[in-house]
Amino acid sequence: MSEGHFFDSLWKWREAVCVLQMTLLFVPCLQDLHLGERRSMASAAHFSEEEMAELREAFSKVDVSGNGFIDANDLTDVLKAANLPLPGYKARELVQNLTTTEDGRISFDEFISIFQNLKSDDVAKSFRKQINKKEGICAIGGTSEQSSAGTQHSYSEEEKYAFVNWINKALEKDPDCKHVVPMNPETDDLFQAVGDGIVLCKMINFSVPDTIDERTINKKKLTPFTIQENLNLALNSASAIGCHVVNIGAEDLKEGKPYLVLGLLWQVIKIGLFADIEISRNEALIALLREGESLEDLMRLSPEELLLRWANYHLENAGCNKVNNFSSDIKDSRAYYHLLNQVAPKGDEEGIPAITIDMSGLREKDDVQRAECMLQQAERLGCRQFVTATDVVRGNPKLNLAFIANLFNKYPALHKPENQDIDWSSIEGETREERTFRNWMNSLGVTPRVNHLYSDLSDAMVIFQLYEKIKVPVDWNRVNKPPYPKLGGNMKKLENCNYAVELGKNQAKFSLVGIAGQDLNEGNRTLTLALIWQLMRRYTLSILEDIGGGEKVNDEIIVSWVNETLTAAGKDSTISSFKDGKISTSMPVLDLIDAIQPGSIKYDLLKTEDLNDEEKLNNAKYAISMARKIGARVYALPEDLVEVKPKMVMTVFACLMGKGMKKV
């Protein structure tokens, strides 16, 4: 390749990233497209797989609404706000050429083609300059293996500022973090602070309590090795709660690469913010049920959709216009003012004093000043986190979503309906097994994100992506892709489900006796779980087979390897199968970890004989975290070991076998 051609390609790539970054800051409704479309698009847009990976990475950092479309007007606003030096007619042509849906929305695939229309160096340079100037974007050179030399990674100063303040508040009283907290949001303290892994581990536990056993975090006299262990523990635990951590390594975090640190932190923070925005954990959300809508319909909504429904419920009660998003529709702060006024305590609940919201700031003519006045009222509720006045006026979708979620968590101001004809027994939370499967899928980066295991698989789109993860080829020409038509839409989904079952039987050679596409489409729990388990099992075994040079692996081979490794290390533990009752003490797992990494298990922290249920759980928590700490990506939960759940027990030993084989 000639030097001139190389730099021409590089500029085209950079300008593509710049357009995407700018759009991500303003548009709340972008979503990563599925794997099949990505491949065809990579070819159409003349992007390499590496370049597409970079786009997906940037894209996932602010995946806030998950419907896969943007409004044409939003795109026009983005171009205008960026001061892109294109004539008005050209901007309109871009929108007209891209828009194909009846309601004027633009798909990601269509949006990507805008990159083909922005090719001059002058445009690229000017656009980058305006992005950096207007949006507080910092650009840094890429040096990771996944990025070409000279690639520009960018991160948002606004995000850094918001996340630092959230972490400072969350960990302000934690003695283990006093060496870095409080951090200065105006500096790069954050990127140094995450380098030893302690803050990341603590934030994971803040979002999903008890994910990491505190006994396994190295806190004193840190060395490069113990820091590496902490970072392994943080990354593998983040994956276990559903974070997508592919292409993020311990070295990236140790070096404090801003775009990767912020991307991971956003996932962790978002999981914590969304934890209770789910009907089985907050039955008062049923108050949002609309006339003619079934409970099942409401339960299908994502946390983002529920938050929008919640905000509009209160705005409607206040006699205000509804909002369609938490970006362009909230820029004038008026909706926020009325929402705060609706949810603020009125003094009618015992022990909770009234807080009166001062609405006089609505008269402010300047948008930024009005937003600042509104945030001062939010601060009186203890809910100012995540946004500045500028973030509100700019309509930053990610940070405004976090602001709303935090407000909901503190002041939902909803009451569980008393008189509605509701089958309360149908409202049950997900089982541990279901949560493990869901987190596993999300950690692999499937899109859309799986919030509800059964309803989110009803069109099989996620299942197709999982097939590709286990090297089962999918003919994407046979797949019906969203959005589905209102009339006949479910038939399109059913066709997908039929094809998914066909692939499982004929290509993957799964045992799917009695399972039909209709079972997946309707969310039959038992039969859907049967397919998902076989996908997870095959995925786990395929990793072992890759490490072992393609040699097939089964349960007997894993059990044999476990016992041989334990014997070679002089351990007394053995297992006869994944149903062995001795596994309930977790000692075979702990001994195996110590055999793989000698001296890693602190046996003085454990009880090894005559254990009661609490002591068994105590051992299991330590075992799961230690497995993650030595580098095994374990998705199982401590209770799975205590109760000796054979499926999840198998995945634990298989992951440890993979770690052990890598050391040979």
Side-chain angles (χ1 to χ4, degrees):
M1 178 186 293
S2 69
E3 185 178 7
H5 182 66
F6 170 79
F7 281 106
D8 180 58
S9 299
L10 185 58
W11 275 117
K12 285 192 289 186
W13 163 236
R14 285 184 174 179
E15 68 192 38
V17 172
C18 286
V19 174
L20 178 59
Q21 289 160 347
M22 190 63 213
T23 305
L24 288 171
L25 288 166
F26 280 81
V27 182
C29 297
L30 281 169
Q31 178 188 355
D32 201 4
L33 68 170
H34 63 68
L35 193 57
E37 288 173 309
R38 289 199 293 251
R39 287 177 176 168
S40 63
M41 192 183 71
S43 174
H46 305 293
F47 292 138
S48 69
E49 286 294 322
E50 184 177 334
E51 291 167 342
M52 285 306 300
E54 183 74 22
L55 280 172
R56 290 196 296 274
E57 178 186 290
F59 195 77
S60 64
K61 284 164 47 176
V62 283
D63 182 11
V64 292
S65 65
N67 70 356
F69 292 89
I70 65 174
D71 185 86
N73 293 327
D74 286 333
L75 180 59
T76 306
D77 290 341
V78 170
L79 296 171
K80 182 179 178 182
N83 199 21
L84 186 63
L86 292 176
Y89 76 89
K90 182 64 176 175
R92 287 192 295 274
E93 279 182 9
L94 285 172
V95 172
Q96 290 167 359
N97 291 338
L98 286 170
T99 304
T100 60
T101 58
E102 292 179 5
D103 55 0
R105 296 186 303 166
I106 299 167
S107 71
F108 186 93
D109 211 352
E110 293 159 344
F111 172 74
I112 272 292
S113 68
I114 196 173
F115 300 155
Q116 303 292 76
N117 294 285
L118 299 172
K119 295 187 176 180
S120 80
D121 286 357
D122 290 340
V123 168
K125 291 174 183 175
S126 178
F127 201 29
R128 276 195 303 279
K129 184 177 179 181
Q130 289 301 323
I131 290 170
N132 294 343
K133 177 180 175 183
K134 287 179 173 287
E135 297 307 318
I137 293 291
C138 293
I140 55 176
T143 55
S144 67
E145 291 180 5
Q146 290 80 22
S147 60
S148 303
T151 297
Q152 289 238 320
H153 299 288
S154 298
Y155 68 94
S156 163
E157 282 284 349
E158 288 85 359
E159 288 177 27
K160 181 188 76 172
Y161 191 92
F163 297 168
V164 165
N165 286 331
W166 183 250
I167 294 169
N168 282 343
K169 184 69 174 175
L171 304 181
E172 63 182 345
K173 296 180 181 178
D174 192 319
D176 299 325
C177 297
K178 61 184 179 182
H179 64 300
V180 291
V181 173
M183 295 173 274
N184 184 349
E186 303 287 354
T187 68
D188 288 342
D189 281 3
L190 173 64
F191 306 127
Q192 279 76 54
V194 299
D196 64 12
I198 295 175
V199 165
L200 284 171
C201 287
K202 296 285 185 172
M203 286 308 296
I204 288 168
N205 273 352
F206 182 77
S207 286
V208 185
D210 293 327
T211 297
I212 297 174
D213 188 321
E214 286 272 346
R215 294 172 294 175
T216 63
I217 304 174
N218 300 317
K219 301 173 183 177
K220 297 178 181 178
K221 297 180 181 179
L222 297 177
T223 67
F225 177 74
T226 56
I227 287 172
Q228 177 81 21
E229 286 187 321
N230 279 351
L231 293 169
N232 286 341
L233 177 60
L235 283 170
N236 289 323
S237 298
S239 184
I241 65 171
C243 294
H244 180 42
V245 298
V246 174
N247 294 335
I248 304 178
E251 284 301 316
D252 295 316
L253 299 177
K254 196 181 298 183
E255 294 171 17
K257 292 183 178 176
Y259 65 103
L260 293 177
V261 170
L262 292 177
L264 178 58
L265 278 174
W266 169 238
Q267 292 186 74
V268 172
I269 291 170
K270 186 178 177 183
I271 287 170
L273 288 172
F274 284 4
D276 290 330
I277 308 174
E278 204 269 317
I279 290 174
S280 67
R281 301 184 67 164
N282 192 338
E283 291 184 350
L285 282 165
I286 294 175
L288 304 180
L289 199 63
R290 291 174 178 167
E291 189 174 345
E293 186 177 50
S294 70
L295 182 59
E296 191 177 35
D297 293 331
L298 188 66
M299 293 178 71
R300 284 197 184 102
L301 297 182
S302 68
E304 293 92 336
E305 290 169 325
L306 281 171
L307 283 173
L308 191 60
R309 175 82 63 98
W310 170 75
N312 282 326
Y313 170 86
H314 286 300
L315 289 174
E316 191 173 2
N317 287 341
C320 300
N321 292 332
K322 293 183 179 181
V323 295
N324 296 311
N325 54 61
F326 296 126
S327 54
S328 58
D329 284 6
I330 52 81
K331 289 182 178 182
D332 63 6
S333 300
R334 297 183 188 282
Y336 278 169
Y337 253 118
H338 292 292
L339 181 57
L340 290 173
N341 193 43
Q342 285 295 116
V343 303
K346 302 297 186 287
D348 50 4
E349 292 185 45
E350 189 175 344
I352 303 177
I355 300 177
T356 303
I357 299 298
D358 181 358
M359 304 290 283
S360 62
L362 280 171
R363 295 194 292 270
E364 286 287 345
K365 294 182 179 180
D366 180 74
D367 284 350
V368 174
Q369 188 57 42
R370 190 186 312 113
E372 177 57 35
C373 292
M374 179 275 296
L375 288 174
Q376 289 172 10
Q377 299 307 306
E379 189 167 17
R380 297 179 62 220
L381 296 175
C383 297
R384 183 170 177 148
Q385 288 92 341
F386 292 110
V387 291
T388 63
T390 303
D391 296 329
V392 174
V393 173
R394 285 178 177 165
N396 185 309
K398 180 190 296 187
L399 298 182
N400 278 282
L401 178 67
F403 171 75
I404 284 289
N406 186 48
L407 180 63
F408 170 87
N409 287 330
K410 292 192 175 183
Y411 296 98
L414 296 174
H415 299 284
K416 181 178 173 181
E418 299 292 340
N419 302 321
Q420 291 190 23
D421 184 20
I422 292 172
D423 179 11
W424 297 100
S425 65
S426 65
I427 304 172
E428 53 182 311
E430 62 184 351
T431 64
R432 288 200 314 271
E433 183 182 39
E434 290 165 349
R435 184 164 75 252
T436 300
F437 286 148
R438 186 172 58 80
N439 287 339
W440 167 67
M441 293 175 190
N442 288 328
S443 75
L444 297 179
V446 298
T447 57
R449 184 175 180 83
V450 180
N451 295 300
H452 311 297
L453 190 62
Y454 303 104
S455 60
D456 289 354
L457 301 187
S458 64
D459 66 353
M461 292 300 295
V462 167
I463 294 173
F464 292 136
Q465 293 170 65
L466 295 175
Y467 275 133
E468 291 202 327
K469 297 289 184 184
I470 61 170
K471 301 180 178 65
V472 171
V474 176
D475 180 0
W476 288 100
N477 292 323
R478 287 190 58 182
V479 176
N480 300 312
K481 304 171 184 66
Y484 304 103
K486 288 185 178 179
L487 188 63
N490 198 57
M491 183 57 67
K492 296 288 186 183
K493 295 180 182 181
L494 181 57
E495 289 172 358
N496 283 355
C497 292
N498 288 334
Y499 179 41
V501 172
E502 178 188 322
L503 281 174
K505 290 179 177 177
N506 299 335
Q507 298 294 324
K509 306 299 182 185
F510 288 160
S511 174
L512 300 177
V513 178
I515 300 179
Q518 185 175 353
D519 298 311
L520 302 181
N521 180 248
E522 294 178 353
N524 181 299
R525 293 193 170 210
T526 302
L527 300 181
T528 301
L529 289 176
L531 172 58
I532 297 172
W533 162 241
Q534 290 182 77
L535 283 162
M536 186 178 188
R537 173 184 169 82
R538 180 71 58 84
Y539 176 81
T540 304
L541 295 180
S542 69
I543 293 174
L544 279 179
E545 290 165 8
D546 287 343
I547 295 171
E551 186 175 338
K552 294 296 180 185
V553 179
N554 56 31
D555 289 8
E556 290 72 25
I557 290 173
I558 298 172
V559 170
S560 177
W561 181 89
V562 168
N563 288 329
E564 288 171 7
T565 304
L566 287 168
T567 300
K571 304 293 184 182
D572 294 330
S573 297
T574 59
I575 60 170
S576 57
S577 71
F578 300 132
K579 298 178 181 179
D580 194 320
K582 295 192 294 290
I583 295 170
S584 70
T585 67
S586 295
M587 291 311 301
V589 178
L590 290 160
D591 284 342
L592 182 60
I593 292 169
D594 202 64
I596 294 169
Q597 189 166 304
S600 59
I601 298 299
K602 298 175 183 177
Y603 286 95
D604 59 328
L605 299 176
L606 308 168
K607 187 172 181 182
T608 58
E609 296 179 359
D610 301 322
L611 282 71
N612 60 34
D613 288 344
E614 184 179 346
E615 290 163 340
K616 287 181 179 179
L617 185 59
N618 201 40
N619 281 3
K621 288 178 177 178
Y622 185 68
I624 294 295
S625 285
M626 282 304 302
R628 293 169 182 161
K629 182 176 178 177
I630 70 166
R633 187 149 291 177
V634 172
Y635 292 92
L637 298 170
E639 292 84 356
D640 296 323
L641 294 181
V642 174
E643 297 171 16
V644 195
K645 298 291 186 182
K647 294 176 182 177
M648 292 300 130
V649 167
M650 186 282 282
T651 65
V652 172
F653 283 114
C655 290
L656 287 170
M657 180 177 174
K659 177 61 182 175
M661 289 171 64
K662 281 184 179 178
K663 292 176 68 74
V664 176

